[in-house]
């Protein structure tokens, strides 16, 4: 039985690779594992069938031979532990890569998601501009700390890891905000990751889903 | 060399066990590992010495025999992998426990922290009440989904795990908000976890740090 993941039938990001299935696609491409995709409408995501897989009714999920996982971070960790290519073999380096995975999802992502969410649900409110400035500053502090850590390095630690994969998908959520522009270290870091063949295959695959949906013909790609 | 963690010299939570060192203390108590604590002022946390351990200048960190970790999630995972007591041995159950760790930190915690942060930095703003209602609703949706998943179960999956440990520390951040009261499943879940001897030892230890600081006598407890 192949790996099956879930993704949006109609991604709200319009194929920009910002939905969280992109992380899982990219990781599977990095380790060279084929997978199938089950596309879900927003209504289907909230049905009991899907909630049995994902209690919070979200995507992505991951199924393989009786194993069913949810949360992109846990799925990436499982893939990185099961196949070579995303995690150093050396104990301390492996533990540091995992520190960066959690840093991406628990330290960097929350203020970045909050900023997008504010734009989504508060942009007609009288307080929007003042709050957006506060949120921008929170994000900027974190970006400065991350750039300070990286210095001249290519990746967060020794060699590309699952920590980089998650961090780059988080930073990409700032596309269009202009916030990354003040940190050339970080724009170069994101570009370096996006140039990886595995990233490009994953990006093309998620974009194809969106393009087919636009053409009124969504279906599960064979991959 | 024993395990050394870092914690606030003067915790902003005033000893209520909401700072993130509580998670690490609790995990170490669950697996029966002694540890030392290095207390840091807010100024010390932002110095280069500490940033070399934690690029974002936060607590907790974890050091043991040349291994240095940051991010409470990564530290808990490392402890759970190194000692029995926080993770099922069975592969699929272990992977599910890790799903719950990420769910606690990446799905449940962000809206809960955002709500506290709003209270902290926006409570004098004219928009505070309207936003707080929005944030309460975001948290309530997640709590309902979590309660729906749990049903009559004692823990998130089979037996107490690192996933429960993180989830309970996240839910405890709602203390005083009244939001948990609508979900008796969840108040019982938190109480069940707080009744664990390991939790109580960890709580007492972090409270003692606060009490000593109040008495003008902070020092690193021997433990």
């Amino acid at each position: 039985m192949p790996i099956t993941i879930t993704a949006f039938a109609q991604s709200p990001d319009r194929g920009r690779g910002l939905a969280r299935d992109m992380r899982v696609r990219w990781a599977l491409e990095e380790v060279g594992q084929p997978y199938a995709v089950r596309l879900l409408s927003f209504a289907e995501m909230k049905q009991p069938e899907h909630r049995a897989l994902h209690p919070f009714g979200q995507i992505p999920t991951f199924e393989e031979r009786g194993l069913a996982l949810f949360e992109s971070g846990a799925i990436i960790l499982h893939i990185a532990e099961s196949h070579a290519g995303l995690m150093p073999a050396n104990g301390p380096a492996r533990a540091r890569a995992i520190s960066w995975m959690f840093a991406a999802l628990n330290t960097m992502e929350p203020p970045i998601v909050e900023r997008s969410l504010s734009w989504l649900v508060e942009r007609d409110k009288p307080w929007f501009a003042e709050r957006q400035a506060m949120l921008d500053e929170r994000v900027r502090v974190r970006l400065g700390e991350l750039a300070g850590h990286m210095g001249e390095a290519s990746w967060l630690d020794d060699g590309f890891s699952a920590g980089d994969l998650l961090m780059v998908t988080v930073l990409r959520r700032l596309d269009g905000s202009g916030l990354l522009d003040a940190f050339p270290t970080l724009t170069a870091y994101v570009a370096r990751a996006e140039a990886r063949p595995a990233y490009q295959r994953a990006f093309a695959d998620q974009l194809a889903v969106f393009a087919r949906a636009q053409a009124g013909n969504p279906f599960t790609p064979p991959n």
Side-chain angles (χ1 to χ4, degrees), chain A residues 30-31 80 83-88 160-162 196:
Chain A
E30 289 282 350
V31 303
H83 306 280
L86 284 172
M87 200 76 91
F160 178 81
S161 80
R196 295 176 73 87

Side-chain angles (χ1 to χ4, degrees), chain A residues 4-27:
Chain A
T4 301
I5 71 170
T6 50
F8 291 123
Q10 306 255 9
S11 182
D13 80 338
R14 304 183 59 82
R16 291 162 62 214
L18 303 179
R20 287 184 174 86
D21 61 294
M22 176 64 195
R23 299 167 176 181
V24 179
R25 293 173 181 274
W26 183 9

Side-chain angles (χ1 to χ4, degrees), chain A residues 16 18 115 119 171-181:
Chain A
R16 291 162 62 214
L18 303 179
R115 191 186 170 282
W119 192 87
L171 295 178
R172 286 195 71 249
R173 299 179 82 114
L174 292 170
D175 269 9
S177 73
L179 286 171
L180 276 183
D181 299 346

Side-chain angles (χ1 to χ4, degrees), chain A residues 2 5 11 29 45-46 71 76-78 95 140-141 151 156 169 171 179 185 198 203 214 219 221:
Chain A
I5 71 170
S11 182
E29 292 288 350
M45 285 165 54
K46 305 301 178 188
E71 287 285 332
I76 301 304
L77 183 61
H78 173 75
R140 242 182 246 115
V141 168
L156 294 167
T169 60
L171 295 178
L179 286 171
T185 300
F203 187 89
Q214 287 298 94
F219 67 97

Side-chain angles (χ1 to χ4, degrees), chain A residues 1 17 25 55 72 89 100 107 109 131 142 149 156 166 174 188 194 198 202 214 218 222:
Chain A
M1 177 179 154
R25 293 173 181 274
S72 57
W100 282 111
T107 294
E109 186 167 71
R131 270 206 84 232
R142 291 293 180 231
H149 163 79
L156 294 167
L166 286 175
L174 292 170
E194 289 176 343
Q214 287 298 94

Side-chain angles (χ1 to χ4, degrees), chain A residues 150-151 153-155 168 180 183-195:
Chain A
M150 290 200 73
S154 293
W155 306 111
V168 166
L180 276 183
F183 304 95
T185 300
L186 301 183
T187 51
Y189 172 53
V190 172
R192 191 176 298 123
E194 289 176 343

